[in-house]
Amino acid sequence: MKNLTLLSQVHLARFGRPFGADIHHSVDPESGHVYVAYSTGPSEGVLVKISDLQSPYPEITELATFPPENDVPDQWGQVMGVKFLVDIQAVCIIFSHGDVILFHNEATETGDSIEVVGSVDSGISCMAWSPDEELVVMVTGEGSILEMTKDFDVISENPINVEEAGEDVSVNVGWGKKETQFHGTEGKQAAQRKVDTSTHTYSPDDDGQHRLSWRGDGTYFCCSSKDTRLGRRVVRVYNREAILQTTSESVDMLEHGLSWRPSGNLIASSQRLPHRHDIVFFEKNGLRHGEFTLREPQDTIVKEISWNCDSTVLAVWLQRSQGSCIQLWTMNNYKWYLKQELIYNGENSSVAGFQWDVESALVLHVVTASGSYQRNQYCWDNNVNEMLNAENAGTVAVVDGANLMLTPFRIMNVPPPMSAFTMTLPYAIQHVSFSTLHGGDDMAVLLADQRVAFYEMADKTIRPLPEPKLLGLIELTEIPSVAVRQIAWVRPDTLIGLQYDSDLSSDSILVAKLEFDEETKAPKIASRQDVPLEGTYERLYFNQTFGDILLQKADGTLTSMELDQDEPRIGQWPEIHELPEGCLWMGTTRIGTGALEYRERAVVGLARNNRLYVNDRLISSETTSFCLHNHFLVFTTATHSARFLPLEVSLWDFKIVDNSMLPYDESIRRVERGSKIVLALPFSVNLVLQMPRGNLETVAPRAMVLSVTRDALDKCDFRTAFITCRKHRIDLNILYDHNPKMFMDNVAEFVKQVKEVDYLNLFLSFLRNEDVTQTLYPLSGSGSTIAQQQPPVFVRSSAGGKTKYGAPVSPELAEKVNQICDAVRGELNQLDQNVYINSVLTTHVRKSPPDLEAALLLLAELKNQDQAMAEDALKFTIFLADVDRLFDVALGMYDFALVLMVAQWSQKDPREYLPFLNELRTLEKYYQRFRIDDHLKKHQSALRNLSQAGENYFADCVAYIKQHNLYKFALKVFDAKQAEKHRAILQIYGDSLALNGDNEQAGVAYSMAGDKEKALEAYREAGFWREAMVLAQQLKYDDAAMSYLATGLADHLKNDRRFAEAGVLLAEYAKDSEEAVSALLEGRLWSEAIRVAYLYNRMDLMATHVTPGIADGHHDLMESIREMRDQFDKQIKRLKEVREIKIQRMLAEAAEENMAPDDMLDNVDMMSDTTSMASGFSRYTAANSVMSRSSHSSRSSSQYTARLKKRNDRKRQAGKKGSIFEEEYLINSLRKLILRVDAAKPDVHALLKCLASSLSLERATVLQHEFRQLLKDIQEQVAMIFVPAPEEHLAKKKAAEDAKVERKKLVKQTHANAHLMSRHEEAVAQAQIAQLEEVAEQEIAEIYGEAPVMSKEVWDVDLI
């Protein structure tokens, strides 16, 4: 679908009048200089250099004349070939009499620029250097192949016309007979036809000269020569050592033209037949390999043929009766297209020679017989109607000589080499431009003879579509020296063209005002105006949608053009003056949010090196093609993918975003290798791609599908949106989720547009409580209703309004399905129920939870009206819902007729349900319902029905309550009005609570039931001594029983370390002051113990219990303080050592990286966790398991991670010396120690007061000093131990936490949509899960944090 566009032209005035018709030239690929050598007489020649080709006036320098002075003129002959040698910076020239000359750009040691390197006595007819310039092959006058090195040392010399066929000639081994092969349309006659090669002869157009051509890799070359022995021309293939390999098969009237395709698969030549002229191809083995026919009269002569350096274009030099031309042919889909034709019809302007550039594939150098030089530069283009209009038919124009092949892709997809329409024009086509009329499908076609044809697209509503109508032709230029190369039909009455004036050597813009006849619509030019340009421009671009007219130079400089009423104005593009580099392909668009007039203008450019720019910003460096859609910039990449960048974002945010973590990334799509964009149909889902072999593929990328869907929903075009989603398998929830309010406000319109029952049922069946615009199709831009992209949040609800992982669901989203079903049902109920009965049933079944009861009630009503319709509706309901569940719901309605109707249309065996139903029929009403509810496991309803069955079933109720733990519900059924039953239920409830260990609640239940003994026992077991003692008083316990009860409760309290309460029980209820004092001393409640001893006047206890207890407490506290002191000192010392080792390691790493230690430490936190497992785990372990997780499944990877985490937790708790966990262990241990010291303050304070009051000042002083010193040391070291976490550490922890949450969501979403995902999508999802696991499960050492908060309570005694 590609055409060749002429970018630039350089025409030079005559550099000399040659003698004869042949002019030879060669190009220096480094400097671009052109060296031209030609004969000025029978034995005279001249060498000319053309330099500075980029300027309007290149410089022409005559370097040398031949023969040199003091030499014999007749011994040189005519110039036969020229070649610039890059390595030695010299020009090699051969002459017909055999001399080989080197002209050096710099003088040699002898001071001469001209060096005669050798001579062939028999003369030289042609020369060809190998592509690497290491070898040169010549054909001598005796008809021999002479091969030499680049230093002109002879390697071999062999005659051309020999009898041998070559070393690699094919050998017939007896199979694959020609008679058994397929011969196409010629049939079996082709196998039986015998070719008489003895009649083969020369072409009358043969010039009799030899031709040489190298293969692109330099391993073979071929020679075309007239074999007088065979009487015909033969092509022979030689290897690099000039040894004959193969000889071509016999071809009648084979001509002299010869060119070996650089890619190596074909050798091109020409053949004249009586009725046509063909370009024929040979393989390396000499066998024919296809041909194509030239569209020329019989008197046309093929002078030369040549492949360009990338093997894509074949140039054919033709000599006609009225002049000459060069045709550029290319092949695609096994069809040869004529893409450009260069005409040379002027006097003495016929072609004298041409050559493709050796590096720039589409640059052609031409010299004419009049002695002028031309340089033409081309590029590949798709001529496409790019107007962003819904009426755009997507017309693509393909040029094939004088034939214009058109295909409107919106209407039909015709694969090449065919087309929908083929228009034949009077001359070869040079350029095509689409207008703004009829959706942009009208065309202006520039012909090679500088005429322009205008076509009008027919009515696109007619089928079959009529072909476009030719309105007429106009003569575009009036001056022979001016040639228009690109045109643009910018307005209905204005045509502009980029033209080159060879006389002025400059570009200009032609502005032609058009007039069309009102009846025939024939065009004519009303006025012409030339607008001069400064410099040479390569591109004339016109945007059909926005009216932008841009011109671009080779360096990327942009110039805009505005067509005012008075005169055209040339200026700079307001937003950007130049692209970062020259871009062969360009376009303009509007980027931003809001209305188009408020968006920013942008230029999109694609350079030769695959760099894609938007204004001066690089978007991608691997782009192979692009196009502009109404919502996206679409481009393909070298990694075989198509990307879609939304235009509805700010220009600052217009860039490629890595959405690899999203399960469905609509901004990228995989395409076939080498695919390139032909067009993206605006306001459509179709993207047309062309494969390297030429065939087309039309795909519907999700980005374009969603854009069409969203546009339709914005316009309330629900039917278009629904059909698009259904056709392209887009989740139908988007119809609601795109704009919930708009959908709910237009439910009636939705039902009216999507009126088919099957469509409504499909929509309702897809509904779920999930916002697909957040989970499946997160929006990456903002448009009319498009919000900024949000991270995907999986919100599919289940029981309790939460997902499996507990993600909260908004109340609105949790009721989404129910709201839609209710709204749609409300609209359907107003229509014909007989038509929409299935849809109404679907609205009941699809509710969350399904309202099967309402559906069955509707079926029951329908059964009374129409039995057959009810049965069909029931079948549909069974299809939607689980039949077993439907059977249970019908049974739960206690309607046996409905149960039987469901059972009959299910696949249930009657032997399964009929005995059960018959048994139920025999039971009393409420007991029957009890049995049904119990069968359905509706235990509360069953209990309620059983309670209404009669007094005889109360024992069954008690048993049922115990069986199903229905105590609380039973208290509501048997309320306080039924006092005896209520107390019985409380009694068994208390027994259940006591059995389960909830003695407190059991005591309450027993108390409410009036059973004080059980209540007291329950409170005693629970340790509620106050309630127990109150009940004991109510039960009239005597003193002994009260003492026994109090002693038992006190033991229970002491086990729970509730010593103060135990002391109260022993002193007040057990009347045992000695045990009370002992209990208080055990709990270090020294003051309370002294108070009790004095309260009960037990002075003896002061000496026997209190004083020794205080001494023991002092000893224990001192031991504990000294132990904490030793632990603190040791761990502080080790922590400093660990951090010093870390610093030394960082210094060593800095030295290894040749970095100054001071520079390394300037910005490094001494508490950095660089040696933690988050960044240096491999330093301490042989392998890091997280690096290989992507090769495991998600489940096995999670199991492995769990085991690894448990093992690391054990190591972390052990805190082994030298391990990576040691620093974290030391910090945690010191934190616990500080909290332990802080917790000891109340005990120290209480003991100090007792020691002071007992005048044990010495002990008190020692205790207070030791504890104060410990607290002081802790305060001094806290800042060193606990360092606030840096931002990097906090960010790492947050990333790990976020990764855990995202992984859960992604795993859930992957499981839920596994049936919709391809293998590639599933693999991508698993890779994303593995990446999230790697981040989530990384081990981050907790070596940062705030210091523990210590209490401010006073612990010391001032008088000590």
Side-chain angles (χ1 to χ4, degrees), residues 1219-1274:
S1219 71
I1220 56 175
F1221 301 102
E1222 184 180 7
E1223 185 178 5
E1224 180 182 355
Y1225 170 77
L1226 290 172
I1227 293 173
N1228 290 334
S1229 181
L1230 286 169
R1231 184 188 302 276
K1232 294 177 182 177
L1233 178 61
I1234 293 172
L1235 293 175
R1236 180 182 167 194
V1237 171
D1238 188 63
K1241 285 182 179 179
D1243 293 343
V1244 173
H1245 181 66
L1247 184 57
L1248 285 175
K1249 289 194 299 181
C1250 289
L1251 290 174
S1253 62
S1254 62
L1255 300 180
S1256 299
L1257 296 179
E1258 183 178 355
R1259 290 181 176 180
T1261 301
V1262 173
L1263 175 61
Q1264 184 164 296
H1265 174 74
E1266 290 288 339
F1267 196 69
R1268 179 180 286 117
Q1269 188 62 38
L1270 178 58
L1271 290 174
K1272 180 181 178 182
D1273 292 344
I1274 289 175

Side-chain angles (χ1 to χ4, degrees), residues 552 554 579-586 604-613 618 620-626:
Q552 183 188 174
L579 293 167
E581 59 181 304
C583 295
L584 294 181
W585 302 275
M586 61 182 296
V604 183
L606 176 60
R608 292 182 178 88
N609 55 8
N610 294 340
R611 290 177 176 266
L612 181 68
Y613 296 95
L618 177 64
S620 171
S621 58
E622 56 176 10
T623 305
T624 57
S625 63
F626 82 94

Side-chain angles (χ1 to χ4, degrees), residues 1017-1308:
E1017 182 63 23
Y1019 283 132
R1020 189 184 68 80
E1021 291 293 334
F1024 284 76
W1025 60 273
R1026 293 180 179 84
E1027 289 81 355
M1029 299 310 296
V1030 170
L1031 287 173
Q1033 294 286 349
Q1034 293 178 1
L1035 292 173
K1036 308 297 183 180
Y1037 275 27
D1038 56 17
D1039 292 342
M1042 291 289 287
S1043 177
Y1044 179 78
L1045 178 62
T1047 302
L1049 284 170
D1051 293 339
H1052 189 280
L1053 294 175
K1054 285 191 288 183
N1055 290 334
D1056 293 340
R1057 305 195 64 80
R1058 295 161 63 183
F1059 295 103
E1061 297 173 83
V1064 173
L1065 275 172
L1066 291 171
E1068 296 182 4
Y1069 291 97
K1071 308 301 182 182
D1072 190 347
S1073 58
E1074 182 176 352
E1075 287 297 326
V1077 170
S1078 298
L1080 293 171
L1081 290 173
E1082 185 179 354
R1084 295 186 179 184
L1085 302 173
W1086 295 286
S1087 299
E1088 183 66 14
I1090 294 172
R1091 185 191 70 80
V1092 173
Y1094 278 96
L1095 176 66
Y1096 291 97
N1097 199 21
R1098 292 290 303 272
M1099 298 298 111
D1100 56 319
L1101 295 179
M1102 292 295 297
T1104 59
H1105 288 74
V1106 176
T1107 302
I1110 293 175
D1112 292 342
H1114 176 266
H1115 179 268
D1116 293 341
L1117 272 178
M1118 289 299 298
E1119 288 294 327
S1120 178
I1121 291 172
R1122 292 190 181 100
E1123 177 190 350
M1124 290 188 290
R1125 154 69 63 186
D1126 293 341
Q1127 179 184 349
F1128 182 76
D1129 292 341
K1130 290 179 181 179
Q1131 291 186 341
I1132 284 292
K1133 180 180 178 182
R1134 181 56 187 167
L1135 182 61
K1136 293 179 179 179
E1137 292 175 356
V1138 169
R1139 290 179 176 170
E1140 183 65 27
I1141 292 172
K1142 181 185 293 187
I1143 296 174
Q1144 295 299 327
R1145 185 183 298 116
M1146 294 167 62
L1147 293 173
E1149 292 177 354
E1152 292 176 1
E1153 298 174 3
N1154 296 323
M1155 296 175 62
D1158 293 340
D1159 295 340
M1160 182 70 179
L1161 291 176
D1162 280 346
N1163 298 316
V1164 174
D1165 185 0
M1166 303 297 282
M1167 288 292 296
S1168 173
D1169 62 343
T1170 53
T1171 57
S1172 70
M1173 284 142 320
S1175 57
F1177 194 40
S1178 60
R1179 185 176 302 162
Y1180 300 96
T1181 55
N1184 191 348
S1185 63
V1186 297
M1187 298 304 294
S1188 60
R1189 274 184 205 149
S1190 59
S1191 61
H1192 300 285
S1193 66
S1194 176
R1195 184 174 180 180
S1196 62
S1197 176
S1198 301
Q1199 294 173 350
Y1200 183 83
T1201 303
R1203 292 196 299 269
L1204 178 64
K1205 188 175 182 181
K1206 289 181 180 179
R1207 184 177 65 187
N1208 289 337
D1209 287 342
R1210 290 195 297 268
K1211 291 181 179 180
R1212 182 180 282 108
Q1213 293 171 4
K1216 184 178 179 181
K1217 186 176 181 179
S1219 71
I1220 56 175
F1221 301 102
E1222 184 180 7
E1223 185 178 5
E1224 180 182 355
Y1225 170 77
L1226 290 172
I1227 293 173
N1228 290 334
S1229 181
L1230 286 169
R1231 184 188 302 276
K1232 294 177 182 177
L1233 178 61
I1234 293 172
L1235 293 175
R1236 180 182 167 194
V1237 171
D1238 188 63
K1241 285 182 179 179
D1243 293 343
V1244 173
H1245 181 66
L1247 184 57
L1248 285 175
K1249 289 194 299 181
C1250 289
L1251 290 174
S1253 62
S1254 62
L1255 300 180
S1256 299
L1257 296 179
E1258 183 178 355
R1259 290 181 176 180
T1261 301
V1262 173
L1263 175 61
Q1264 184 164 296
H1265 174 74
E1266 290 288 339
F1267 196 69
R1268 179 180 286 117
Q1269 188 62 38
L1270 178 58
L1271 290 174
K1272 180 181 178 182
D1273 292 344
I1274 289 175
Q1275 292 295 334
E1276 292 176 352
Q1277 299 296 334
V1278 161
M1280 188 277 295
I1281 301 171
F1282 304 101
V1283 178
E1287 293 295 332
E1288 180 184 359
H1289 180 83
L1290 296 176
K1292 195 180 298 182
K1293 288 187 64 177
K1294 187 176 185 304
E1297 294 171 358
D1298 293 344
K1300 290 180 182 178
V1301 176
E1302 291 299 326
R1303 180 192 171 279
K1304 287 183 178 180
K1305 295 176 182 177
L1306 187 55
V1307 168
K1308 176 67 175 177

Side-chain angles (χ1 to χ4, degrees), residues 390 660 1221 1338:
S660 59
F1221 301 102
Q1338 61 181 334

Side-chain angles (χ1 to χ4, degrees), residues 409-711:
F409 279 92
R410 189 183 294 272
I411 300 172
M412 62 186 77
N413 192 337
V414 182
M418 298 177 290
S419 62
F421 309 109
T422 300
M423 269 71 67
T424 301
L425 289 98
Y427 226 84
I429 300 169
Q430 184 171 344
H431 193 247
V432 179
S433 173
F434 288 90
S435 74
T436 59
L437 302 173
H438 295 95
D441 289 310
D442 290 1
M443 294 168 291
V445 182
L446 175 65
L447 306 183
D449 62 354
Q450 295 297 294
R451 288 187 293 173
V452 176
F454 293 89
Y455 280 92
E456 181 184 56
M457 179 60 73
D459 187 355
K460 287 174 275 192
T461 62
I462 301 175
R463 294 295 182 273
L465 183 66
E467 70 174 29
K469 176 185 177 183
L470 176 63
L471 302 181
L473 291 88
I474 61 172
E475 292 283 349
L476 197 57
T477 60
E478 297 176 331
I479 305 174
S481 63
V482 176
V484 177
R485 60 181 183 270
Q486 298 174 35
I487 61 172
W489 193 357
V490 295
R491 291 180 181 175
D493 63 343
T494 306
L495 181 74
I496 65 174
L498 178 60
Q499 60 186 7
Y500 176 79
D501 190 334
S502 58
D503 291 342
L504 301 177
S505 298
S506 65
D507 283 341
S508 61
I509 291 291
L510 169 66
V511 180
K513 290 293 184 179
L514 306 175
E515 291 181 356
F516 292 88
D517 187 89
E518 295 182 358
E519 296 181 359
T520 63
K521 296 185 179 180
K524 66 178 182 179
I525 297 180
S527 64
R528 286 186 177 89
Q529 183 178 1
D530 290 340
V531 182
L533 298 173
E534 296 182 1
T536 302
Y537 288 83
E538 290 188 348
R539 273 294 187 185
L540 169 62
Y541 171 77
F542 169 60
N543 189 303
Q544 300 167 255
T545 305
F546 305 111
D548 303 329
I549 303 175
L550 284 182
L551 297 156
Q552 183 188 174
K553 291 185 177 180
D555 61 356
T557 302
L558 297 176
T559 300
S560 67
M561 180 176 182
E562 295 183 3
L563 298 176
D564 294 336
Q565 295 181 354
D566 298 334
E567 61 180 11
R569 291 190 303 170
I570 298 294
Q572 292 182 330
W573 182 255
E575 281 71 17
I576 179 172
H577 299 159
E578 63 177 341
L579 293 167
E581 59 181 304
C583 295
L584 294 181
W585 302 275
M586 61 182 296
T588 62
T589 186
R590 303 295 184 266
I591 298 177
T593 59
L596 282 176
E597 56 268 20
Y598 299 114
R599 299 184 184 181
E600 298 185 64
R601 295 194 290 183
V603 180
V604 183
L606 176 60
R608 292 182 178 88
N609 55 8
N610 294 340
R611 290 177 176 266
L612 181 68
Y613 296 95
V614 173
N615 289 349
D616 56 353
R617 185 192 305 172
L618 177 64
I619 298 298
S620 171
S621 58
E622 56 176 10
T623 305
T624 57
S625 63
F626 82 94
C627 73
L628 290 166
H629 185 259
N630 53 300
H631 285 300
F632 303 99
L633 167 62
V634 188
F635 60 93
T636 56
T637 67
T639 54
H640 326 305
S641 61
R643 282 193 170 272
F644 304 84
L645 296 189
L647 301 176
E648 292 88 357
V649 296
S650 65
L651 189 58
W652 178 259
D653 295 329
F654 189 77
K655 57 187 175 182
I656 295 178
V657 180
D658 183 14
N659 292 329
S660 59
M661 303 305 293
L662 298 178
Y664 298 96
D665 182 9
E666 66 183 70
S667 67
I668 188 170
R669 175 199 168 99
R670 300 289 294 175
V671 295
E672 187 175 335
R673 179 186 296 270
S675 301
K676 291 189 177 182
I677 297 172
V678 177
L679 81 159
L681 283 171
F683 302 97
S684 174
V685 301
N686 292 334
L687 175 67
V688 182
L689 301 170
Q690 186 166 30
M691 306 302 109
R693 58 187 176 274
N695 62 304
L696 300 179
E697 285 189 9
T698 301
V699 297
R702 177 170 287 143
M704 296 176 64
V705 172
L706 291 175
S707 71
V708 170
T709 302
R710 291 162 181 154
D711 288 343

